[in-house]
Amino acid sequence: MTWRLARSLGRLREQINAAAPLRSRASDGTIGDAAHASRSSDHNPWVKDGATGVVTALDITHDPANGVDIQKLADALVASRDPRIKYIICNGRIVSGAGQKQPAWKWRAYGGSNRHNRHIHISVKASKARYDDERDWRFDMAEIAELAPSQSVLRKGSRGPFVKELQENLARLGYVIRADGRFGDETDRAVRMFQRQRGLKVDGWAGPRTLDAIGRAIAELAARPKIAKLESVPPAVEEEVRKDARRGWWQWPSALSLSGVAMFFRENPEIAVGLFIAATLIGVVAILGGRRLVRRVKEIAREVRAS
């Protein structure tokens, strides 16, 4: 299928490239992959301009060292109130432009699996007058390139639901902290401690890198119970069974559990075969002996009647 990028987004990319020529393009994106094609996404060329599909979404890579801080870019685009904007996703949050179902220009939590902390996603509206509007976008690239934290970075003095979410996540990771939505001394100390333990810059600012690291830590924590369930034999039990096997086949496993017995026989298959054969022979002998006993009882009964 023939496709192209919306011209308004092409112009946005040109402006960014001109101001930051050395920026990374590692997470840049236009048309989506197979995963995008399987769901509703502005990365799919679903808007039609004649026989050509138009992609109405653009991803720009986060690379503040070379001129592009995506949160600052997001803040600048929101401040511009550009009528072409449909929505923006950045650092786990989404904001809608004017004329959408959601309140305009108000950040809210983004529920997708991709937090968009390695790139910013910008979607433009589906009308040709908007998506092909090639006027310059209004933002100051000098501000976007600064390495100081943007207004959206959580730091001492911040408050609100995102601060509370940060506190709840830190508490889940074992830090002693109250989830009251106020970024004070207690939260500052917890953030600095987390940054120090993870090898991050220790500044007390919960910016994209710190929030991303916290998200990964939470995901690792959530995965631990699932991993534990896959371990059918506790390590201590398994080790005891191995010790019993080394001592001699006549010693019963010290782990008194089905898993311990199973492990013992896996370690000593010849014992399992021997026991099976022995049990079979005993059963055969018992059956044959039982038949002889029955015949003898009948003979004695006949002799008694005859006498």
Side-chain angles (χ1 to χ4, degrees), residues 28-255:
D28 280 19
T30 52
I31 193 168
D33 57 13
H36 284 92
S38 66
R39 63 179 188 272
S40 177
S41 171
D42 287 345
H43 282 297
N44 298 324
W46 63 277
V47 175
K48 304 299 180 185
D49 184 16
T52 302
V54 180
V55 173
T56 57
L58 174 67
D59 294 339
I60 295 293
T61 303
H62 180 59
D63 186 13
N66 290 298
V68 180
D69 182 319
I70 58 171
Q71 188 60 64
K72 287 184 173 296
L73 176 58
D75 292 342
L77 291 174
V78 169
S80 74
R81 300 293 195 268
D82 196 298
R84 291 172 285 188
I85 295 173
K86 179 180 178 183
Y87 61 85
I88 298 169
I89 309 173
C90 182
N91 289 325
R93 295 190 294 167
I94 183 171
V95 62
S96 297
Q100 310 298 308
K101 293 181 180 179
Q102 298 289 342
W105 315 118
K106 300 292 184 182
W107 286 104
R108 61 187 186 276
Y110 175 63
S113 58
N114 185 343
R115 288 181 53 81
H116 291 76
N117 46 24
R118 292 181 174 84
H119 63 258
I120 182 176
H121 171 107
I122 306 108
S123 281
V124 291
K125 295 174 181 174
S127 109
K128 184 174 177 61
R130 297 300 188 195
Y131 68 70
D132 273 349
D133 183 345
E134 296 185 76
R135 288 178 295 173
D136 283 353
W137 293 77
R138 303 187 308 278
F139 55 85
D140 186 348
M141 279 300 298
E143 292 181 359
I144 292 168
E146 287 180 358
L147 299 182
S150 73
Q151 294 179 353
S152 295
V153 171
L154 303 177
R155 59 189 184 276
K156 200 169 181 179
S158 300
R159 60 176 60 196
F162 295 109
V163 174
K164 186 174 182 180
E165 181 183 4
L166 167 67
Q167 293 166 330
E168 290 172 345
N169 286 336
L170 288 170
R172 289 178 62 189
L173 294 174
Y175 297 89
V176 179
I177 186 172
R178 291 168 296 176
D180 58 6
R182 297 179 180 180
F183 201 125
D185 291 337
E186 186 180 72
T187 305
D188 181 74
R189 283 193 296 271
V191 170
R192 288 175 185 273
M193 188 180 299
F194 176 84
Q195 291 171 330
R196 188 176 297 108
Q197 292 171 343
R198 292 281 169 156
L200 300 168
K201 181 181 178 182
V202 181
D203 55 12
W205 291 336
R209 289 184 179 85
T210 297
L211 293 174
D212 183 45
I214 291 173
R216 291 197 304 272
I218 291 292
E220 292 168 5
L221 182 66
R224 286 177 190 172
K226 297 177 183 179
I227 294 173
K229 288 179 181 179
L230 296 177
E231 299 291 339
S232 58
V233 181
V237 173
E238 183 175 352
E239 180 58 27
E240 286 299 317
V241 172
R242 292 182 187 277
K243 288 179 181 177
D244 284 331
R246 288 196 293 268
R247 294 188 192 111
W249 62 267
W250 58 87
Q251 297 188 29
W252 192 256
S254 60

